[in-house]
Amino acid sequence: MTTLQAFCIHGHFYQLPREDPITGEIPEESGAAPFRNWNERIHAHCYRPNAELGNFGRISFDFGPTLLNWMSSCDPITLAKIVSQERWHYRLRGVGNGLAQPYFHVILPLLPWHDRKTQILWGLRAFEHRFGHPASGIWLPETAVDEDTLALCAELGIQFTILAPWQAAEPGLDVTQPYWWEGSEKRLALFFYHSDLSTRVSFDPVSTSNADRFRTLVMEAAACGGGHERLILIASDGEVYGHHQPFRDHFLAHLTETQDGLLKRTYLGEWLKDHPPRHKIAIQSATSWSCGHHLARWSQGCDCTPQSEWKAPFWEALHRLGEQLDGLYVQVLGRYLHHPWGLVWRYIDILLGRISLSDLFFQLSGEIPKERVIRQVDYLLRAQLNKQRMYTSCGWFFEDFGRPEPQINVRYAAQAVWWNTLATGVDLYTETANALARVRSNTTSLNAADVFTTHYAYAAQAPFPFVEFYQPARPVTVRPTNH
């Protein structure tokens, strides 16, 4: 009996949200010339040509929901091609080749439980809205994981995710096989990618200069597995295929178009349906695919990015702000709802245009809200939205605060503070600005407080809806907390 050997290419397609939090438009970015911004440049190099080649119908992939939001207005034709290529698999086999992604690219294990659930629920809902069916799998940003995150994924009905092989807690891992991770109540499957071949795709352009030669490497790897049925999973950033490495969109097309009896092309949902795991495995908590220092890259700084002393005070300032925003949100919404976070978890339906805030509030409270109440709730939800954005992992990924990514996070933090001020009258501005003053660039005189105060002043002059009519429903007082 011939052992079935198969391979799957997974592409993680994502760009950080670059939109101005007031206008919703991406400012012109000079480094992206001759395009107006990096989204347009990467789209022209990668997303559109891969869709035109049909590659999204032959690989496993996940797409950042905010990136698809941008694409829906800037190139709906390409988005339609991506969706139709994925839906074909769902109609054929009852499971698609697309994975969901948390709504913003955040390091889930660093966030409190209610924020993790927000990110995952929003991502699942956005996927179903775009692709027309539920997602069976999810890509965790940076594959950052811990036990609680996996338990939450399983609780929400997710069937599988992808991890790096070094995230397994047990020796002797066979990456050609999926494994069960079991929580206290539910379980989900874990796929581990082939580290050598995935690294070659990401960082060795010579290895991917010839698709036929690379296919031989895949076949050799499949022959070394110990299982009866063997799957070689290759995972990388999707932008490798045409943007980071020119012409690799064509490499991907040729690699996945070629079919023979020796190596089957598949995708993870299909493989799991026919080949469920036979063994259980534990994980190394607080790990990722791009940092070997237990997530320190995004909270404390580590050797992954030298001279990253600014990262710890940056994380501390935004984490403290998040706690304060959450406390005020619960304090106000607790007057009207038994479960205030339930409104945040359903807020994605408002963002997707599926329901109005008044109707949603009525569903959850059973009462028709007064106009001034709905305005206050609206502002608090906008503060929560920008709070989620300010945790975007790209703000801590690189070596210097002077880069655009952390400054974007600061602007979202300032916007969250602004909306909260309108809703509650509580001043979080002064403390946050003082905390951010400790965050400085290694190469310039810029500090985070400069970015924060500049954007806050800009927000104060913007013509927001209802602002001129707003009066707080009740005064809000800050309850003391222990830190």
Side-chain angles (χ1 to χ4, degrees), residues 108-139:
L108 292 174
L110 296 179
L111 298 184
W113 181 85
H114 62 268
D115 282 336
R116 298 189 211 190
K117 188 169 182 177
T118 298
Q119 291 282 350
I120 295 171
L121 279 173
W122 286 10
L124 292 173
R125 188 65 169 146
F127 180 93
E128 187 171 0
H129 177 76
R130 291 287 181 206
F131 291 93
H133 64 84
S136 55
I138 194 168
W139 174 271

PDB file of all heavy atoms in Angstrom, residues 108-139:
ATOM      1  N   LEU A 108      -2.065  38.011  21.325  1.00  0.00           N
ATOM      2  CA  LEU A 108      -3.193  37.634  22.170  1.00  0.00           C
ATOM      3  C   LEU A 108      -2.802  37.275  23.602  1.00  0.00           C
ATOM      4  O   LEU A 108      -3.474  37.704  24.543  1.00  0.00           O
ATOM      5  CB  LEU A 108      -3.971  36.483  21.522  1.00  0.00           C
ATOM      6  CG  LEU A 108      -4.726  36.827  20.236  1.00  0.00           C
ATOM      7  CD1 LEU A 108      -5.319  35.567  19.624  1.00  0.00           C
ATOM      8  CD2 LEU A 108      -5.824  37.849  20.495  1.00  0.00           C
ATOM      9  N   PRO A 109      -1.735  36.495  23.839  1.00  0.00           N
ATOM     10  CA  PRO A 109      -1.431  36.132  25.230  1.00  0.00           C
ATOM     11  C   PRO A 109      -1.094  37.318  26.130  1.00  0.00           C
ATOM     12  O   PRO A 109      -1.122  37.171  27.359  1.00  0.00           O
ATOM     13  CB  PRO A 109      -0.214  35.195  25.088  1.00  0.00           C
ATOM     14  CG  PRO A 109      -0.336  34.628  23.725  1.00  0.00           C
ATOM     15  CD  PRO A 109      -0.880  35.745  22.893  1.00  0.00           C
ATOM     16  N   LEU A 110      -0.781  38.469  25.564  1.00  0.00           N
ATOM     17  CA  LEU A 110      -0.468  39.643  26.379  1.00  0.00           C
ATOM     18  C   LEU A 110      -1.712  40.425  26.792  1.00  0.00           C
ATOM     19  O   LEU A 110      -1.614  41.330  27.626  1.00  0.00           O
ATOM     20  CB  LEU A 110       0.483  40.570  25.614  1.00  0.00           C
ATOM     21  CG  LEU A 110       1.877  40.016  25.294  1.00  0.00           C
ATOM     22  CD1 LEU A 110       2.678  41.045  24.512  1.00  0.00           C
ATOM     23  CD2 LEU A 110       2.620  39.613  26.569  1.00  0.00           C
ATOM     24  N   LEU A 111      -2.856  40.090  26.238  1.00  0.00           N
ATOM     25  CA  LEU A 111      -4.076  40.858  26.489  1.00  0.00           C
ATOM     26  C   LEU A 111      -4.961  40.167  27.521  1.00  0.00           C
ATOM     27  O   LEU A 111      -4.912  38.942  27.667  1.00  0.00           O
ATOM     28  CB  LEU A 111      -4.868  41.029  25.190  1.00  0.00           C
ATOM     29  CG  LEU A 111      -4.185  41.790  24.055  1.00  0.00           C
ATOM     30  CD1 LEU A 111      -5.155  41.946  22.894  1.00  0.00           C
ATOM     31  CD2 LEU A 111      -3.673  43.144  24.517  1.00  0.00           C
ATOM     32  N   PRO A 112      -5.802  40.932  28.212  1.00  0.00           N
ATOM     33  CA  PRO A 112      -6.782  40.301  29.106  1.00  0.00           C
ATOM     34  C   PRO A 112      -7.774  39.460  28.312  1.00  0.00           C
ATOM     35  O   PRO A 112      -7.975  39.661  27.109  1.00  0.00           O
ATOM     36  CB  PRO A 112      -7.458  41.494  29.793  1.00  0.00           C
ATOM     37  CG  PRO A 112      -7.193  42.666  28.911  1.00  0.00           C
ATOM     38  CD  PRO A 112      -5.881  42.404  28.251  1.00  0.00           C
ATOM     39  N   TRP A 113      -8.429  38.554  29.037  1.00  0.00           N
ATOM     40  CA  TRP A 113      -9.290  37.562  28.387  1.00  0.00           C
ATOM     41  C   TRP A 113     -10.385  38.207  27.547  1.00  0.00           C
ATOM     42  O   TRP A 113     -10.663  37.762  26.429  1.00  0.00           O
ATOM     43  CB  TRP A 113      -9.906  36.663  29.460  1.00  0.00           C
ATOM     44  CG  TRP A 113     -10.780  35.587  28.932  1.00  0.00           C
ATOM     45  CD1 TRP A 113     -10.392  34.350  28.472  1.00  0.00           C
ATOM     46  CD2 TRP A 113     -12.201  35.630  28.788  1.00  0.00           C
ATOM     47  NE1 TRP A 113     -11.471  33.620  28.068  1.00  0.00           N
ATOM     48  CE2 TRP A 113     -12.613  34.385  28.254  1.00  0.00           C
ATOM     49  CE3 TRP A 113     -13.178  36.583  29.078  1.00  0.00           C
ATOM     50  CZ2 TRP A 113     -13.933  34.075  27.992  1.00  0.00           C
ATOM     51  CZ3 TRP A 113     -14.503  36.288  28.815  1.00  0.00           C
ATOM     52  CH2 TRP A 113     -14.877  35.040  28.274  1.00  0.00           C
ATOM     53  N   HIS A 114     -11.022  39.275  28.048  1.00  0.00           N
ATOM     54  CA  HIS A 114     -12.141  39.859  27.297  1.00  0.00           C
ATOM     55  C   HIS A 114     -11.661  40.485  25.994  1.00  0.00           C
ATOM     56  O   HIS A 114     -12.404  40.497  25.009  1.00  0.00           O
ATOM     57  CB  HIS A 114     -12.899  40.881  28.152  1.00  0.00           C
ATOM     58  CG  HIS A 114     -12.074  42.051  28.585  1.00  0.00           C
ATOM     59  ND1 HIS A 114     -11.385  42.077  29.775  1.00  0.00           N
ATOM     60  CD2 HIS A 114     -11.834  43.259  27.994  1.00  0.00           C
ATOM     61  CE1 HIS A 114     -10.761  43.239  29.903  1.00  0.00           C
ATOM     62  NE2 HIS A 114     -11.017  43.971  28.834  1.00  0.00           N
ATOM     63  N   ASP A 115     -10.415  41.002  25.963  1.00  0.00           N
ATOM     64  CA  ASP A 115      -9.893  41.553  24.711  1.00  0.00           C
ATOM     65  C   ASP A 115      -9.518  40.447  23.732  1.00  0.00           C
ATOM     66  O   ASP A 115      -9.696  40.591  22.515  1.00  0.00           O
ATOM     67  CB  ASP A 115      -8.675  42.434  24.999  1.00  0.00           C
ATOM     68  CG  ASP A 115      -9.054  43.806  25.525  1.00  0.00           C
ATOM     69  OD1 ASP A 115     -10.179  44.254  25.256  1.00  0.00           O
ATOM     70  OD2 ASP A 115      -8.220  44.435  26.206  1.00  0.00           O
ATOM     71  N   ARG A 116      -8.985  39.356  24.236  1.00  0.00           N
ATOM     72  CA  ARG A 116      -8.697  38.223  23.349  1.00  0.00           C
ATOM     73  C   ARG A 116      -9.988  37.730  22.685  1.00  0.00           C
ATOM     74  O   ARG A 116     -10.016  37.465  21.482  1.00  0.00           O
ATOM     75  CB  ARG A 116      -8.078  37.060  24.129  1.00  0.00           C
ATOM     76  CG  ARG A 116      -6.766  37.350  24.791  1.00  0.00           C
ATOM     77  CD  ARG A 116      -6.161  36.075  25.340  1.00  0.00           C
ATOM     78  NE  ARG A 116      -5.361  36.334  26.529  1.00  0.00           N
ATOM     79  CZ  ARG A 116      -4.574  35.451  27.104  1.00  0.00           C
ATOM     80  NH1 ARG A 116      -4.468  34.239  26.601  1.00  0.00           N
ATOM     81  NH2 ARG A 116      -3.888  35.750  28.185  1.00  0.00           N
ATOM     82  N   LYS A 117     -11.031  37.615  23.498  1.00  0.00           N
ATOM     83  CA  LYS A 117     -12.294  37.145  22.940  1.00  0.00           C
ATOM     84  C   LYS A 117     -12.841  38.142  21.922  1.00  0.00           C
ATOM     85  O   LYS A 117     -13.385  37.741  20.882  1.00  0.00           O
ATOM     86  CB  LYS A 117     -13.311  36.916  24.066  1.00  0.00           C
ATOM     87  CG  LYS A 117     -14.597  36.251  23.588  1.00  0.00           C
ATOM     88  CD  LYS A 117     -15.475  35.800  24.739  1.00  0.00           C
ATOM     89  CE  LYS A 117     -16.725  35.094  24.236  1.00  0.00           C
ATOM     90  NZ  LYS A 117     -17.572  34.579  25.341  1.00  0.00           N
ATOM     91  N   THR A 118     -12.691  39.416  22.196  1.00  0.00           N
ATOM     92  CA  THR A 118     -13.108  40.430  21.233  1.00  0.00           C
ATOM     93  C   THR A 118     -12.400  40.237  19.904  1.00  0.00           C
ATOM     94  O   THR A 118     -13.042  40.199  18.838  1.00  0.00           O
ATOM     95  CB  THR A 118     -12.817  41.841  21.778  1.00  0.00           C
ATOM     96  OG1 THR A 118     -13.561  42.067  22.981  1.00  0.00           O
ATOM     97  CG2 THR A 118     -13.189  42.907  20.756  1.00  0.00           C
ATOM     98  N   GLN A 119     -11.089  40.121  19.951  1.00  0.00           N
ATOM     99  CA  GLN A 119     -10.307  40.000  18.724  1.00  0.00           C
ATOM    100  C   GLN A 119     -10.686  38.749  17.933  1.00  0.00           C
ATOM    101  O   GLN A 119     -10.840  38.800  16.705  1.00  0.00           O
ATOM    102  CB  GLN A 119      -8.813  39.964  19.075  1.00  0.00           C
ATOM    103  CG  GLN A 119      -8.257  41.266  19.600  1.00  0.00           C
ATOM    104  CD  GLN A 119      -8.003  42.274  18.500  1.00  0.00           C
ATOM    105  OE1 GLN A 119      -8.066  41.957  17.310  1.00  0.00           O
ATOM    106  NE2 GLN A 119      -7.712  43.500  18.882  1.00  0.00           N
ATOM    107  N   ILE A 120     -10.841  37.638  18.616  1.00  0.00           N
ATOM    108  CA  ILE A 120     -11.151  36.386  17.925  1.00  0.00           C
ATOM    109  C   ILE A 120     -12.573  36.407  17.377  1.00  0.00           C
ATOM    110  O   ILE A 120     -12.816  36.044  16.217  1.00  0.00           O
ATOM    111  CB  ILE A 120     -10.928  35.186  18.856  1.00  0.00           C
ATOM    112  CG1 ILE A 120      -9.446  35.075  19.225  1.00  0.00           C
ATOM    113  CG2 ILE A 120     -11.390  33.893  18.191  1.00  0.00           C
ATOM    114  CD1 ILE A 120      -9.155  34.055  20.316  1.00  0.00           C
ATOM    115  N   LEU A 121     -13.534  36.832  18.198  1.00  0.00           N
ATOM    116  CA  LEU A 121     -14.919  36.895  17.728  1.00  0.00           C
ATOM    117  C   LEU A 121     -15.072  37.838  16.543  1.00  0.00           C
ATOM    118  O   LEU A 121     -15.756  37.521  15.561  1.00  0.00           O
ATOM    119  CB  LEU A 121     -15.836  37.333  18.868  1.00  0.00           C
ATOM    120  CG  LEU A 121     -16.266  36.267  19.875  1.00  0.00           C
ATOM    121  CD1 LEU A 121     -17.038  36.905  21.020  1.00  0.00           C
ATOM    122  CD2 LEU A 121     -17.125  35.198  19.210  1.00  0.00           C
ATOM    123  N   TRP A 122     -14.466  39.002  16.629  1.00  0.00           N
ATOM    124  CA  TRP A 122     -14.539  39.945  15.510  1.00  0.00           C
ATOM    125  C   TRP A 122     -13.924  39.337  14.253  1.00  0.00           C
ATOM    126  O   TRP A 122     -14.460  39.491  13.147  1.00  0.00           O
ATOM    127  CB  TRP A 122     -13.821  41.250  15.862  1.00  0.00           C
ATOM    128  CG  TRP A 122     -14.536  42.126  16.823  1.00  0.00           C
ATOM    129  CD1 TRP A 122     -15.654  41.818  17.570  1.00  0.00           C
ATOM    130  CD2 TRP A 122     -14.204  43.473  17.161  1.00  0.00           C
ATOM    131  NE1 TRP A 122     -16.011  42.890  18.348  1.00  0.00           N
ATOM    132  CE2 TRP A 122     -15.148  43.917  18.124  1.00  0.00           C
ATOM    133  CE3 TRP A 122     -13.188  44.336  16.757  1.00  0.00           C
ATOM    134  CZ2 TRP A 122     -15.105  45.199  18.665  1.00  0.00           C
ATOM    135  CZ3 TRP A 122     -13.148  45.621  17.306  1.00  0.00           C
ATOM    136  CH2 TRP A 122     -14.088  46.042  18.241  1.00  0.00           C
ATOM    137  N   GLY A 123     -12.805  38.648  14.413  1.00  0.00           N
ATOM    138  CA  GLY A 123     -12.163  38.032  13.252  1.00  0.00           C
ATOM    139  C   GLY A 123     -13.013  36.948  12.631  1.00  0.00           C
ATOM    140  O   GLY A 123     -13.127  36.848  11.399  1.00  0.00           O
ATOM    141  N   LEU A 124     -13.620  36.105  13.457  1.00  0.00           N
ATOM    142  CA  LEU A 124     -14.484  35.044  12.942  1.00  0.00           C
ATOM    143  C   LEU A 124     -15.696  35.628  12.229  1.00  0.00           C
ATOM    144  O   LEU A 124     -16.103  35.149  11.159  1.00  0.00           O
ATOM    145  CB  LEU A 124     -14.936  34.134  14.077  1.00  0.00           C
ATOM    146  CG  LEU A 124     -13.854  33.270  14.748  1.00  0.00           C
ATOM    147  CD1 LEU A 124     -14.447  32.560  15.960  1.00  0.00           C
ATOM    148  CD2 LEU A 124     -13.267  32.269  13.769  1.00  0.00           C
ATOM    149  N   ARG A 125     -16.287  36.652  12.828  1.00  0.00           N
ATOM    150  CA  ARG A 125     -17.481  37.261  12.236  1.00  0.00           C
ATOM    151  C   ARG A 125     -17.139  37.953  10.911  1.00  0.00           C
ATOM    152  O   ARG A 125     -17.908  37.874   9.938  1.00  0.00           O
ATOM    153  CB  ARG A 125     -18.090  38.258  13.221  1.00  0.00           C
ATOM    154  CG  ARG A 125     -19.433  38.807  12.809  1.00  0.00           C
ATOM    155  CD  ARG A 125     -20.473  37.737  12.785  1.00  0.00           C
ATOM    156  NE  ARG A 125     -21.822  38.296  12.632  1.00  0.00           N
ATOM    157  CZ  ARG A 125     -22.790  37.697  11.977  1.00  0.00           C
ATOM    158  NH1 ARG A 125     -22.590  36.523  11.408  1.00  0.00           N
ATOM    159  NH2 ARG A 125     -23.991  38.249  11.891  1.00  0.00           N
ATOM    160  N   ALA A 126     -15.989  38.640  10.877  1.00  0.00           N
ATOM    161  CA  ALA A 126     -15.580  39.312   9.649  1.00  0.00           C
ATOM    162  C   ALA A 126     -15.305  38.297   8.538  1.00  0.00           C
ATOM    163  O   ALA A 126     -15.635  38.533   7.372  1.00  0.00           O
ATOM    164  CB  ALA A 126     -14.342  40.163   9.907  1.00  0.00           C
ATOM    165  N   PHE A 127     -14.689  37.158   8.892  1.00  0.00           N
ATOM    166  CA  PHE A 127     -14.435  36.118   7.881  1.00  0.00           C
ATOM    167  C   PHE A 127     -15.743  35.603   7.295  1.00  0.00           C
ATOM    168  O   PHE A 127     -15.903  35.501   6.069  1.00  0.00           O
ATOM    169  CB  PHE A 127     -13.654  34.964   8.504  1.00  0.00           C
ATOM    170  CG  PHE A 127     -13.344  33.855   7.529  1.00  0.00           C
ATOM    171  CD1 PHE A 127     -12.152  33.841   6.833  1.00  0.00           C
ATOM    172  CD2 PHE A 127     -14.265  32.836   7.293  1.00  0.00           C
ATOM    173  CE1 PHE A 127     -11.874  32.834   5.913  1.00  0.00           C
ATOM    174  CE2 PHE A 127     -13.999  31.824   6.377  1.00  0.00           C
ATOM    175  CZ  PHE A 127     -12.801  31.825   5.687  1.00  0.00           C
ATOM    176  N   GLU A 128     -16.690  35.270   8.167  1.00  0.00           N
ATOM    177  CA  GLU A 128     -17.960  34.746   7.678  1.00  0.00           C
ATOM    178  C   GLU A 128     -18.692  35.785   6.824  1.00  0.00           C
ATOM    179  O   GLU A 128     -19.334  35.440   5.816  1.00  0.00           O
ATOM    180  CB  GLU A 128     -18.833  34.328   8.859  1.00  0.00           C
ATOM    181  CG  GLU A 128     -20.109  33.625   8.455  1.00  0.00           C
ATOM    182  CD  GLU A 128     -20.847  33.040   9.640  1.00  0.00           C
ATOM    183  OE1 GLU A 128     -20.360  33.181  10.784  1.00  0.00           O
ATOM    184  OE2 GLU A 128     -21.923  32.435   9.426  1.00  0.00           O
ATOM    185  N   HIS A 129     -18.565  37.057   7.197  1.00  0.00           N
ATOM    186  CA  HIS A 129     -19.190  38.127   6.425  1.00  0.00           C
ATOM    187  C   HIS A 129     -18.596  38.197   5.023  1.00  0.00           C
ATOM    188  O   HIS A 129     -19.328  38.384   4.038  1.00  0.00           O
ATOM    189  CB  HIS A 129     -18.993  39.452   7.156  1.00  0.00           C
ATOM    190  CG  HIS A 129     -19.519  40.647   6.438  1.00  0.00           C
ATOM    191  ND1 HIS A 129     -20.862  40.953   6.378  1.00  0.00           N
ATOM    192  CD2 HIS A 129     -18.874  41.633   5.741  1.00  0.00           C
ATOM    193  CE1 HIS A 129     -21.031  42.057   5.670  1.00  0.00           C
ATOM    194  NE2 HIS A 129     -19.848  42.497   5.283  1.00  0.00           N
ATOM    195  N   ARG A 130     -17.290  38.053   4.907  1.00  0.00           N
ATOM    196  CA  ARG A 130     -16.626  38.174   3.603  1.00  0.00           C
ATOM    197  C   ARG A 130     -16.780  36.925   2.757  1.00  0.00           C
ATOM    198  O   ARG A 130     -17.045  37.001   1.547  1.00  0.00           O
ATOM    199  CB  ARG A 130     -15.125  38.432   3.811  1.00  0.00           C
ATOM    200  CG  ARG A 130     -14.789  39.795   4.389  1.00  0.00           C
ATOM    201  CD  ARG A 130     -14.973  40.880   3.369  1.00  0.00           C
ATOM    202  NE  ARG A 130     -14.628  42.178   3.941  1.00  0.00           N
ATOM    203  CZ  ARG A 130     -15.120  43.319   3.522  1.00  0.00           C
ATOM    204  NH1 ARG A 130     -15.983  43.342   2.528  1.00  0.00           N
ATOM    205  NH2 ARG A 130     -14.754  44.457   4.079  1.00  0.00           N
ATOM    206  N   PHE A 131     -16.589  35.747   3.372  1.00  0.00           N
ATOM    207  CA  PHE A 131     -16.479  34.518   2.591  1.00  0.00           C
ATOM    208  C   PHE A 131     -17.768  33.706   2.554  1.00  0.00           C
ATOM    209  O   PHE A 131     -17.860  32.718   1.826  1.00  0.00           O
ATOM    210  CB  PHE A 131     -15.319  33.676   3.123  1.00  0.00           C
ATOM    211  CG  PHE A 131     -13.977  34.286   2.850  1.00  0.00           C
ATOM    212  CD1 PHE A 131     -13.368  35.114   3.787  1.00  0.00           C
ATOM    213  CD2 PHE A 131     -13.318  34.066   1.644  1.00  0.00           C
ATOM    214  CE1 PHE A 131     -12.133  35.704   3.532  1.00  0.00           C
ATOM    215  CE2 PHE A 131     -12.083  34.639   1.380  1.00  0.00           C
ATOM    216  CZ  PHE A 131     -11.495  35.468   2.324  1.00  0.00           C
ATOM    217  N   GLY A 132     -18.747  34.089   3.353  1.00  0.00           N
ATOM    218  CA  GLY A 132     -20.046  33.451   3.252  1.00  0.00           C
ATOM    219  C   GLY A 132     -20.179  32.135   3.974  1.00  0.00           C
ATOM    220  O   GLY A 132     -21.182  31.423   3.794  1.00  0.00           O
ATOM    221  N   HIS A 133     -19.205  31.775   4.788  1.00  0.00           N
ATOM    222  CA  HIS A 133     -19.292  30.543   5.580  1.00  0.00           C
ATOM    223  C   HIS A 133     -18.373  30.673   6.785  1.00  0.00           C
ATOM    224  O   HIS A 133     -17.436  31.479   6.777  1.00  0.00           O
ATOM    225  CB  HIS A 133     -18.903  29.323   4.739  1.00  0.00           C
ATOM    226  CG  HIS A 133     -17.465  29.328   4.282  1.00  0.00           C
ATOM    227  ND1 HIS A 133     -16.429  28.868   5.071  1.00  0.00           N
ATOM    228  CD2 HIS A 133     -16.897  29.745   3.119  1.00  0.00           C
ATOM    229  CE1 HIS A 133     -15.293  28.999   4.413  1.00  0.00           C
ATOM    230  NE2 HIS A 133     -15.542  29.531   3.224  1.00  0.00           N
ATOM    231  N   PRO A 134     -18.593  29.904   7.831  1.00  0.00           N
ATOM    232  CA  PRO A 134     -17.730  29.999   9.014  1.00  0.00           C
ATOM    233  C   PRO A 134     -16.321  29.495   8.712  1.00  0.00           C
ATOM    234  O   PRO A 134     -16.116  28.628   7.857  1.00  0.00           O
ATOM    235  CB  PRO A 134     -18.425  29.089  10.040  1.00  0.00           C
ATOM    236  CG  PRO A 134     -19.801  28.884   9.517  1.00  0.00           C
ATOM    237  CD  PRO A 134     -19.720  28.993   8.027  1.00  0.00           C
ATOM    238  N   ALA A 135     -15.362  30.041   9.421  1.00  0.00           N
ATOM    239  CA  ALA A 135     -13.979  29.574   9.305  1.00  0.00           C
ATOM    240  C   ALA A 135     -13.785  28.370  10.214  1.00  0.00           C
ATOM    241  O   ALA A 135     -14.241  28.358  11.356  1.00  0.00           O
ATOM    242  CB  ALA A 135     -13.011  30.680   9.703  1.00  0.00           C
ATOM    243  N   SER A 136     -13.094  27.354   9.714  1.00  0.00           N
ATOM    244  CA  SER A 136     -12.801  26.192  10.555  1.00  0.00           C
ATOM    245  C   SER A 136     -11.471  26.349  11.283  1.00  0.00           C
ATOM    246  O   SER A 136     -11.248  25.722  12.322  1.00  0.00           O
ATOM    247  CB  SER A 136     -12.793  24.901   9.722  1.00  0.00           C
ATOM    248  OG  SER A 136     -11.895  25.015   8.633  1.00  0.00           O
ATOM    249  N   GLY A 137     -10.578  27.180  10.752  1.00  0.00           N
ATOM    250  CA  GLY A 137      -9.272  27.391  11.374  1.00  0.00           C
ATOM    251  C   GLY A 137      -8.983  28.859  11.567  1.00  0.00           C
ATOM    252  O   GLY A 137      -9.667  29.722  11.007  1.00  0.00           O
ATOM    253  N   ILE A 138      -7.971  29.143  12.363  1.00  0.00           N
ATOM    254  CA  ILE A 138      -7.568  30.529  12.603  1.00  0.00           C
ATOM    255  C   ILE A 138      -6.057  30.615  12.636  1.00  0.00           C
ATOM    256  O   ILE A 138      -5.366  29.696  13.090  1.00  0.00           O
ATOM    257  CB  ILE A 138      -8.170  31.053  13.925  1.00  0.00           C
ATOM    258  CG1 ILE A 138      -8.056  32.586  14.005  1.00  0.00           C
ATOM    259  CG2 ILE A 138      -7.518  30.389  15.139  1.00  0.00           C
ATOM    260  CD1 ILE A 138      -8.885  33.197  15.132  1.00  0.00           C
ATOM    261  N   TRP A 139      -5.536  31.715  12.108  1.00  0.00           N
ATOM    262  CA  TRP A 139      -4.116  32.038  12.227  1.00  0.00           C
ATOM    263  C   TRP A 139      -3.963  33.000  13.391  1.00  0.00           C
ATOM    264  O   TRP A 139      -4.603  34.056  13.418  1.00  0.00           O
ATOM    265  CB  TRP A 139      -3.602  32.684  10.951  1.00  0.00           C
ATOM    266  CG  TRP A 139      -2.175  33.161  11.060  1.00  0.00           C
ATOM    267  CD1 TRP A 139      -1.747  34.382  11.481  1.00  0.00           C
ATOM    268  CD2 TRP A 139      -0.995  32.414  10.753  1.00  0.00           C
ATOM    269  NE1 TRP A 139      -0.381  34.457  11.463  1.00  0.00           N
ATOM    270  CE2 TRP A 139       0.114  33.261  11.023  1.00  0.00           C
ATOM    271  CE3 TRP A 139      -0.752  31.126  10.289  1.00  0.00           C
ATOM    272  CZ2 TRP A 139       1.433  32.852  10.822  1.00  0.00           C
ATOM    273  CZ3 TRP A 139       0.554  30.717  10.092  1.00  0.00           C
ATOM    274  CH2 TRP A 139       1.629  31.571  10.355  1.00  0.00           C
TER     275      TRP A 139
END
